[in-house]
Amino acid sequence: VYHTPELTPTDHNPDCAVVIDVLRATTTIATALNAGAEAVQAFSDINQLMTVSEAWAADRRIRAGERGGKQVEGCDMGNSPLLCTPEQVQGKRLFISTTNGTRTLQRVENAPVVLTGAQVNRQAVVDYLSQHQPETVWLVGSGWEGAYSLEDTVCAGAIALPFYEQNPAIVGNDEVLGAVSLYRQWQDQLVELFCQASHGQRLLRLDLLDDIKYCAQTDLLNVLPLQVEKGLLTLKS
Ligand code: MLT
């Protein structure tokens, strides 16, 4: 388990990186693809998002920009997964830039396999890892502007738990065991935990409790976003 700020470009790449940003980027990505978005294109730079998406017809794109939990002016939406309904996203490319999650994606984009994980698609990530058994897996929490994230860590624990129970020696480092323990403790009270987390508090100040409740639903969606090109995610078929 890593937290984005620790990763430096010189770090060796894992065989597989799982980017986690439960509140809300990777929940939004899984939800949009499940709702029929053609693909999700992630940008750490919002200006680049606006420029690249210009080439797409307005009815074939949807621009999601979030900073500080709020919608970026000029975008079609912020980063709420609740807005990623089939009516909104079906057949469109979702261009997304968020405070942390899209930056995390960029940090690990050179890994051979990049997946996005959230509580809503936890089992789909576990199934992929069980099936493909990559040698090294990074579960990368996005955090908040360099700070540790409780919700991303508990999701990393939810992903690691089945592997830990199968073979405790597999976990690799203290952070994973800590994440597994955190998930075991809070797995039935994720909304309560998320509401106590610093980013959950930020979202509550923005009256986004419904987003938190949605993001806390374990295994809601059986979808696996996979990076097919740098920054471009589609559904793993
Ligand atoms: C992030 O990138 O940190 C989150 O997605 C922010 C948010 O959606 O509130």
Side-chain angles (χ1 to χ4, degrees), residues 7-161:
L7 297 182
T8 56
T10 55
D11 271 336
H12 74 279
N13 276 314
D15 299 309
C16 175
V18 181
V19 173
I20 301 170
D21 186 347
V22 173
L23 296 175
R24 301 168 285 178
T26 56
T27 302
T28 296
I29 289 168
T31 304
L33 289 170
N34 184 65
E38 169 260 345
V40 174
Q41 196 162 356
F43 298 84
S44 54
D45 179 339
I46 189 74
N47 298 314
Q48 198 186 10
L49 180 154
M50 300 307 278
T51 306
V52 170
S53 60
E54 270 308 310
W56 289 67
D59 64 350
R60 300 275 289 119
R61 76 183 183 215
I62 186 160
R63 295 161 161 168
E66 169 277 332
R67 289 295 183 274
K70 296 175 187 162
Q71 178 171 336
V72 172
E73 197 176 329
C75 289
D76 304 303
M77 61 179 277
N79 187 25
S80 173
L82 298 179
L83 297 177
C84 293
T85 60
E87 296 73 27
Q88 288 292 328
V89 306
Q90 186 115 43
K92 297 180 182 176
R93 179 161 293 195
L94 176 72
F95 293 87
I96 188 169
S97 180
T98 68
T99 310
N100 304 280
T102 48
R103 192 179 64 189
T104 306
L105 272 165
Q106 188 177 48
R107 279 290 186 89
V108 298
E109 66 184 8
N110 294 320
V113 175
V114 177
L115 310 172
T116 66
Q119 214 54 38
V120 293
N121 73 322
R122 182 283 304 257
Q123 192 57 47
V125 174
V126 169
D127 293 346
Y128 176 91
L129 296 176
S130 302
Q131 186 185 347
H132 294 81
Q133 302 202 352
E135 185 69 29
T136 56
V137 178
W138 283 0
L139 303 175
V140 188
S142 300
W144 184 271
E145 295 183 344
Y148 170 90
S149 159
L150 204 52
E151 67 275 9
D152 294 346
T153 303
V154 81
C155 182
I159 293 167
L161 178 61

Side-chain angles (χ1 to χ4, degrees), residues 114 145 171 195 237:
V114 177
E145 295 183 344
V171 293
C195 287
S237 47

